[in-house]
Every structure is written in C-alpha cells, then in structure tokens.
Amino acid sequence: SHNMPPGTLAKKKKELSKEEFDLSVLGLNRAGFGAVYKQFINELEPEGNLCKPFAIPDYWPLYMSGDWGYRNPHAIAFAALSPDEEIYIFDEQYDSEMTVPDVCSAIIEKLWSYRPMGFPTPPTELQDRRRYMKMVLAAPLIMDPAVFQTPQGGGSSIADQFDESGITVQKG
C-alpha cells in the first residue's frame, strides 16, 4: 500500500469481489475458487453453505465425482441426495502421489465406514468390490473425460485402472 496513491486499496476493495481482492491485491492463494464453486461460503447456514453434521439416512442415494491427479492431487467428492433434491457433500478423498489401486482402496474404505452394506470389512476382492459399489452408489464415479484417454506409449487408461480396481467410472 505504501507504493499506491491514498485510497487505492479502499477503492479496489469496493470494486472487486472478496476472492478477486484476496488474489490480486493481497496475493493470497485462491486456487480453490472458480466459476463452478465461486458461490461456496465456508460458514454454517443460513449465512454459508455448511450445515451441522448429521447421520445420512440409508435411503438417500450416494454419488461420487472426482478429478484425477497423481502429482497434482486427486479429489473425490462423496455426495448424498436428499428427498427434496438437496445435495450434501459429506466427505472427500484428497491426496497426491497415490496409485489408482491405492485411491480405490481408500475410496472403498471411506464409503464402507458410512455404509457397510453387509460387508464385515471393506471388500478387497475384485468381484466383491464391484458388487459393493453397485449396492452403495446410485451411479458410477463421475470423472473428467480425460481419464478415458489411453497413454501415448500404450497401456491402460486411468478409467480402465479404476475399473480393474473395482470402481466403474463414467464421463462427467
């Protein structure tokens, strides 16, 4: 501020959204905001988008969506759909430098902690994983279509690797 004319910061604060001000004036990392989720407010309702924790009823359908990354983190969102069609994001799997089989194991363990569906432990055998995922999710894991691309050098796509680990993926 010492290099700007008086009143510049106050003027910019009025002209820019909070996210734009934080990024361009304060230099804060705002990689998490964007056109899709810009409206998210990290406070309890009614002011924000968070609600007090509650047990998700067993009859609410569950969904997952994700973005793949190895070095750049992968992010898998776990969502429940209420009868009045409110979407509740209730958990996430977020990490980096994990293989697809390891991510799939983490996803299944996390889902199992919410809905065991008769399995005494998280399923590890391929056929049990596939059966479990069909029982617990209303639809396959929704991901960026880029995961369906085959590597230039050959080999399996990321979507194929998810399937080989028991989790079916559909294009988002």
Side-chain angles (χ1 to χ4, degrees):
S1 64
H2 64 279
N3 290 331
M4 298 178 194
T8 301
L9 286 181
K11 181 181 175 191
K12 287 293 178 192
K13 198 163 197 166
K14 289 179 183 176
E15 293 174 353
L16 302 172
S17 71
K18 179 178 177 1
E19 293 88 0
E20 291 168 330
F21 183 83
D22 287 353
L23 178 68
S24 61
V25 177
L26 300 180
L28 298 176
N29 181 358
R30 289 291 181 226
F33 78 87
V36 176
Y37 298 107
K38 189 172 182 176
Q39 72 278 6
F40 182 79
I41 300 170
N42 193 20
E43 294 181 25
L44 283 175
E45 57 186 353
E47 293 82 19
N49 297 104
L50 300 178
C51 65
K52 291 183 181 176
F54 65 93
I56 298 167
D58 288 339
Y59 62 91
W60 287 16
L62 301 184
Y63 296 86
M64 293 189 316
S65 63
D67 188 21
W68 174 252
Y70 180 77
R71 291 232 189 277
N72 295 327
H74 68 270
I76 310 293
F78 297 76
L81 183 65
S82 74
D84 60 355
E85 298 190 352
E86 290 282 335
I87 299 171
Y88 291 85
I89 304 296
F90 63 88
D91 210 335
E92 68 180 357
Q93 167 59 35
Y94 182 86
D95 211 332
S96 61
E97 298 191 12
M98 289 178 70
T99 65
V100 171
D102 289 340
V103 170
C104 289
S105 292
I107 288 170
I108 289 171
E109 286 178 26
K110 193 167 289 227
L111 272 176
W112 181 84
S113 73
Y114 291 99
R115 294 218 176 135
M117 304 296 283
F119 284 85
T121 60
T124 56
E125 297 296 319
L126 182 60
Q127 65 274 12
D128 289 339
R129 283 181 163 200
R130 287 187 174 144
R131 188 165 53 91
Y132 173 75
M133 295 303 288
K134 284 182 180 180
M135 289 169 53
V136 77
L137 291 181
L141 168 61
I142 302 163
M143 293 189 82
D144 182 332
V147 301
F148 289 86
Q149 296 174 356
T150 305
Q152 286 182 345
S156 301
S157 70
I158 298 298
D160 289 338
Q161 292 175 46
F162 269 88
D163 188 61
E164 292 161 7
S165 297
I167 297 180
T168 303
V169 177
Q170 73 179 17
K171 290 180 183 179

